[in-house]
Amino acid sequence: MHPYESLYQQLAIRLQCCHSLLLLGLFGILCFPLQAQQTDYFDGPYIFQQTDSLQLKWIERGVPHDTTIASADATFFQRDSLPLVNLQRLSFPTAKASTYTGIDRIIAISDVHGQYQLMRELLMSSGVIDTANNWALGDGHLVVIGDNFDRGDEVLPILWLLFELEQQALANGGHLHLLLGNHELMVLHGDIRYLHKKYNYTAGALQTPYPELFARGSVLGDWIAQHQVAVSINEHLFVHAGISPEVLKLDLSLEALNATFRERILRQPDDSIAADPVLDLLYGGEGPLWYRGYFGEEAISKGKFKKQLKAYNQEKIIVGHTSQEDIHPLYSGKLIVIDCSIKLGVRGQVLLIENDAVYIIDQDGEQLPIVLKKRTPTTSIQEVLMASNSRPQFTIETDFQQLLKSKMEEEYQPAEISLRTTDFAYTLHGRIRTRGNMRKQACELPPLLIDLRKSDLDSLKYIRHDKLKLVIPCQESSSYQTNLYKEFLIYDLYQLINDHGIQTQLVDVEIIDARDQRQLTGFLIETERDYEHRTGAQVLQTGRVTSSVLDREYFVRMQFFQYMIANCDWALTGKHNLELVKFPNKERAEVIAYDFDYSGFVGNGYAVPAPSLPIKSVHERYFFSYPTTDEEIDQTITYFLEQEAEIYATCAAADYLSVKDREKCQDYLRSFFDLLRNPKKFKRRIGR
């Protein structure tokens, strides 16, 4: 079947998809109206080997494709935005050993869960692949400890990259070990409860239940069914979840454990597995793909753990499966936990074992020894800076002219950073780059991202939160310095209507390079990682956001706040200048506003309204038309009027501004509160 060329054909295939779903009822997905469907999805290819031909299925810009070609004529599958697949190299190794020795360099990664871009970044930073995705580890070994499926929306790029790397590794004298995770097991056995919505769409468009895309005869499915459960390399046992005492009692060798899964569990009927006590144990919660007995109050004793090492004659055990903030050791360093929450798509680490030494490598390429700490740090250096009663002082020594010259590339360059408060003075080595979207283009001096060395933070006994986000004035002028103070004031005002807001701290900044020296005042803005650590909330990276699913009270307050400061540079779509956060004790997520430099309250010269808005100046207030009830509006009017005096007082207390500028800030807000005192006029003004 060739690509669909007309809208009629696209509509026809979607209607056919819906009809099939209603009849079969086993896809586990909904058939949405055409206008509500995603039309920009790319997925695949799913390749099935037949006697002398190949069947290929894929999704391109939301349109399904299904074609069969003769194996002899097959060359490459090559489509824009889809993985490149060599159709002449679809075979894969099946006779895999369970034990390897004498390996000089081992890299391990775990629980990628559809986060292809972050996984690729980590593999490049650790020297596993080059920028063209080719194997660069030589005769080293890469271990992928399961769970490439589910949660994220780039599963197929991960699978095809690993499929190709496995062959390249062998050709270079190295090895790629692909281990089963519980999510591989789930998909092969029809459990798709954690499937990303993109793959629901794929199943519907291709009229194929998702697990059947990995059925017998499928290249990727047959390849996954050959994955090992556990492998020993240099007496380091790699397994997805772990070895429970119950599994240990079975007295299975690694070879027997791998063979049992491959021959008697994978793709076998669940009832036949349940009928055999041994298979049922291996398949279930105490099995090597689901076990969580190394963590929490119910963790097994050190004595039981030593029995596992002795039984398999291992020096260490390396596991994933149970999400942590970073890679770290347990059981006196004999267990290493490497599921560092890559699934969130924000940051990640890989494990390096080299000449009996164990290290962590992050996406910046920094290599740190993994060590047992007698006292785990509980505070980040950013938290200390934020809590300082005196204004922190930063001195940044770097080639600042070069940084500005290449500011659009956001490339790191070396820097020496001195941090001083009344409580401490540190000089640290790190890197610095520009950041920000519009400010990089509009400002002579864009915001900066400082990346400190984790080893320095270790030595100072701080948590390894190594990033500092610094906003500095757009230009070296008194007017832009005043505007920066106003933007900083907005963050203080926002705390009055939502105490879950992002923290900021004014800092005096000295920037030194060989040709110039600048002195100005900027402010630190809390990073996502520090926000999560301080509040206990999770910053959500993915998921479609609508106003109806949010905490309504805080959402409507945020709408009013943006209107108060005349800021239209925000949107729920794409979470533009909004963070979506979920607190564990709250049913609904909240949106937290940030980045207010385009507000009329600040009044930057480069700030102009978006062309789609019916206003000509950022000083014109405009209320976005997200659904809001009269009751919500009335309640929020009352709330803001109750906060009016404190909002003015906060402006008056902003002693970093001149008295005249403080008065101007209050005057700017006064027209908003005057309008609130006439609710009918306010509702007419906002179109209610």
Side-chain angles (χ1 to χ4, degrees):
M1 188 177 299
H2 294 285
Y4 299 102
E5 297 177 351
S6 71
L7 179 62
Y8 174 81
Q9 289 171 307
Q10 294 182 30
L11 176 59
I13 191 65
R14 288 184 172 96
L15 292 175
Q16 184 182 11
C17 154
C18 291
H19 179 67
S20 298
L21 296 181
L22 291 171
L23 288 176
L24 297 177
L26 47 76
F27 287 69
I29 67 175
L30 296 174
C31 187
F32 298 104
L34 178 60
Q35 66 269 23
Q37 292 198 25
Q38 292 283 350
T39 58
D40 57 349
Y41 277 157
F42 291 80
D43 188 28
Y46 299 89
I47 302 175
F48 299 82
Q49 290 185 316
Q50 299 168 350
T51 304
D52 54 3
S53 63
L54 297 174
Q55 183 184 15
L56 294 89
K57 298 183 178 186
W58 72 95
I59 306 291
E60 193 168 353
R61 288 189 172 86
V63 179
H65 300 262
D66 187 337
T67 188
T68 300
I69 58 176
S71 298
D73 297 332
T75 55
F76 288 89
F77 175 88
Q78 188 169 10
R79 308 292 297 180
D80 289 344
S81 302
L82 289 172
L84 173 68
V85 180
N86 187 338
L87 300 178
Q88 290 295 317
R89 294 200 319 192
L90 295 178
S91 59
F92 45 83
T94 56
K96 301 176 182 178
S98 299
T99 302
Y100 298 79
T101 58
I103 309 304
D104 292 333
R105 188 174 177 89
I106 307 165
I107 302 285
I109 189 171
S110 177
D111 294 80
V112 176
H113 283 296
Q115 297 293 344
Y116 168 75
Q117 296 298 337
L118 181 52
M119 181 197 76
R120 181 175 179 271
E121 192 177 347
L122 288 164
L123 294 182
M124 284 195 295
S125 69
S126 57
V128 174
I129 61 174
D130 60 21
T131 55
N133 286 358
N134 292 314
W135 180 263
L137 195 57
D139 60 0
H141 284 217
L142 171 65
V143 189
V144 180
I145 312 186
D147 279 8
N148 296 311
F149 276 102
D150 292 338
R151 304 188 192 278
D153 65 351
E154 292 189 290
V155 172
L156 266 288
I158 290 171
L159 298 181
W160 283 119
L161 174 61
L162 296 177
F163 187 92
E164 174 65 21
L165 287 178
E166 183 179 43
Q167 300 181 47
Q168 290 187 15
L170 290 172
N172 284 275
H175 208 106
L176 170 53
H177 304 275
L178 294 146
L179 303 186
L180 287 169
N182 58 301
H183 285 263
E184 279 75 34
L185 186 69
M186 290 166 70
V187 170
L188 290 186
H189 284 253
D191 185 344
I192 55 173
R193 76 185 94 157
Y194 296 105
L195 198 66
H196 190 277
K197 65 178 182 179
K198 169 180 174 178
Y199 299 107
N200 284 332
Y201 181 89
T202 292
L206 295 177
Q207 303 180 59
T208 307
Y210 188 74
E212 288 189 11
L213 295 172
F214 300 91
R216 285 184 173 84
S218 67
V219 173
L220 290 177
D222 290 346
W223 173 64
I224 292 166
Q226 293 296 315
H227 286 4
Q228 305 275 63
V229 172
V231 63
S232 171
I233 309 173
N234 295 354
E235 297 182 353
H236 289 67
L237 177 62
F238 297 84
V239 59
H240 180 65
I243 304 294
S244 69
E246 288 74 14
V247 168
L248 200 63
K249 292 176 184 177
L250 299 177
D251 197 25
L252 294 172
S253 66
L254 294 184
E255 291 77 8
L257 181 64
N258 287 323
T260 300
F261 267 86
R262 185 172 58 251
E263 298 167 7
R264 302 179 61 195
I265 292 179
L266 292 178
R267 292 173 161 173
Q268 300 303 313
D270 286 354
D271 54 357
S272 67
I273 295 172
D276 186 314
V278 171
L279 302 183
D280 191 44
L281 172 62
L282 294 172
Y283 186 72
E286 295 297 312
L289 306 187
W290 284 98
Y291 183 59
R292 297 193 193 273
Y294 302 131
F295 307 93
E297 296 179 358
E298 302 300 321
I300 61 171
S301 66
K302 290 183 178 180
K304 289 183 178 179
F305 180 75
K306 286 181 179 179
K307 287 183 179 179
Q308 297 180 7
L309 295 174
K310 184 177 180 181
Y312 288 102
N313 192 29
Q314 298 296 303
E315 179 67 23
K316 289 182 176 68
I317 298 177
I318 294 92
V319 300
H321 185 54
T322 302
S323 296
Q324 310 289 311
E325 185 172 333
D326 54 18
I327 294 175
H328 64 271
L330 295 173
Y331 292 96
S332 302
K334 296 297 185 179
L335 177 79
I336 303 177
V337 185
I338 72 166
D339 179 356
C340 53
S341 300
I342 293 173
K343 66 184 178 185
L344 300 179
V346 180
R347 54 188 172 268
Q349 301 168 329
V350 299
L351 184 72
L352 165 64
I353 303 174
E354 189 172 41
N355 300 324
D356 295 326
V358 185
Y359 305 92
I360 298 168
I361 303 176
D362 63 18
Q363 65 251 48
D364 295 327
E366 186 172 0
Q367 181 174 313
L368 297 163
I370 188 167
V371 295
L372 289 169
K373 297 183 177 64
K374 295 181 179 179
R375 182 183 66 83
T376 302
T378 59
T379 305
S380 73
I381 197 166
Q382 184 176 107
E383 287 178 298
V384 176
L385 292 167
M386 290 288 187
S388 176
N389 292 323
S390 62
R391 186 181 298 181
Q393 296 176 301
F394 280 33
T395 300
I396 301 170
E397 294 190 47
T398 190
D399 188 344
F400 198 62
Q401 295 299 324
Q402 177 59 36
L403 187 76
L404 296 181
K405 191 180 297 183
S406 59
K407 62 182 179 180
M408 299 305 296
E409 281 73 41
E410 293 192 350
E411 294 179 352
Y412 277 115
Q413 64 183 47
E416 185 175 274
I417 301 102
S418 296
L419 310 176
R420 296 182 300 280
T421 70
T422 54
D423 299 319
F424 65 72
Y426 303 132
T427 297
L428 308 174
H429 296 281
R431 307 182 302 171
I432 190 169
R433 68 168 174 83
T434 58
R435 49 175 290 272
N437 294 319
M438 293 305 298
R439 291 196 226 208
K440 288 203 308 290
Q441 303 176 43
C443 293
E444 176 191 344
L445 306 177
L448 303 173
L449 182 66
I450 297 170
D451 178 28
L452 303 173
R453 288 182 182 174
K454 295 184 181 69
S455 55
D456 286 348
L457 299 177
D458 286 346
S459 65
L460 296 172
K461 295 183 171 53
Y462 289 117
I463 297 173
R464 291 178 173 177
H465 293 185
D466 56 338
K467 303 294 191 295
L468 298 174
K469 293 163 67 175
L470 179 62
V471 181
I472 55 179
C474 184
Q475 295 179 18
E476 284 187 278
S477 70
S478 59
S479 61
Y480 273 106
Q481 183 66 72
T482 297
N483 288 351
L484 180 134
Y485 287 141
K486 289 180 181 178
E487 185 179 2
F488 174 76
L489 173 58
I490 291 177
Y491 283 94
D492 278 351
L493 295 176
Y494 190 64
Q495 292 282 353
L496 299 179
I497 67 109
N498 187 343
D499 57 3
H500 296 156
I502 294 169
Q503 284 192 341
T504 53
Q505 169 71 286
L506 286 175
V507 294
D508 290 329
V509 182
E510 182 180 30
I511 301 174
I512 302 173
D513 68 12
R515 290 158 289 181
D516 202 0
Q517 183 171 337
R518 291 175 169 86
Q519 290 187 329
L520 37 82
T521 298
F523 64 84
L524 282 177
I525 182 168
E526 191 172 30
T527 63
E528 292 178 354
R529 200 171 188 185
D530 268 287
Y531 182 89
E532 290 178 327
H533 183 258
R534 176 176 63 87
T535 65
Q538 180 184 355
V539 177
L540 305 177
Q541 302 297 325
T542 59
R544 183 169 173 263
V545 185
T546 62
S547 61
S548 60
V549 303
L550 298 170
D551 183 298
R552 294 295 302 172
E553 180 180 22
Y554 284 108
F555 174 72
V556 180
R557 286 186 193 177
M558 187 272 296
Q559 280 184 288
F560 270 64
F561 184 84
Q562 303 277 25
Y563 186 76
M564 180 182 80
I565 63 172
N567 185 37
C568 293
D569 189 28
W570 66 278
L572 286 180
T573 304
K575 299 192 290 291
H576 178 57
N577 288 339
L578 300 173
E579 291 285 14
L580 183 65
V581 301
K582 178 67 173 65
F583 288 86
N585 60 341
K586 290 199 168 187
E587 181 180 351
R588 293 182 169 218
E590 295 179 25
V591 285
I592 305 297
Y594 68 95
D595 206 354
F596 305 108
D597 65 312
Y598 263 63
S599 66
F601 184 91
V602 172
N604 280 314
Y606 60 79
V608 293
S612 59
L613 295 175
I615 56 176
K616 296 181 179 179
S617 166
V618 293
H619 290 287
E620 295 181 60
R621 291 187 171 99
Y622 178 72
F623 198 89
F624 284 0
S625 58
Y626 293 106
T628 313
T629 67
D630 278 347
E631 182 182 7
E632 288 175 330
I633 290 174
D634 291 337
Q635 288 175 347
T636 310
I637 287 174
T638 300
Y639 176 82
F640 267 80
L641 288 174
E642 290 172 350
Q643 306 302 314
E644 182 179 11
E646 190 169 359
I647 286 174
Y648 292 150
T650 301
C651 292
D655 57 4
Y656 41 84
L657 286 166
S658 69
V659 173
K660 183 178 180 180
D661 285 323
R662 282 179 262 173
E663 291 173 351
K664 285 182 178 179
C665 289
Q666 295 173 70
D667 288 341
Y668 195 92
L669 303 178
R670 194 163 281 115
S671 59
F672 165 75
F673 286 106
D674 289 344
L675 186 59
L676 291 189
R677 276 185 275 276
N678 188 338
K680 290 184 179 179
K681 183 178 179 181
F682 174 75
K683 291 177 183 177
R684 286 196 305 271
R685 182 73 60 85
I686 67 173
R688 294 296 191 275

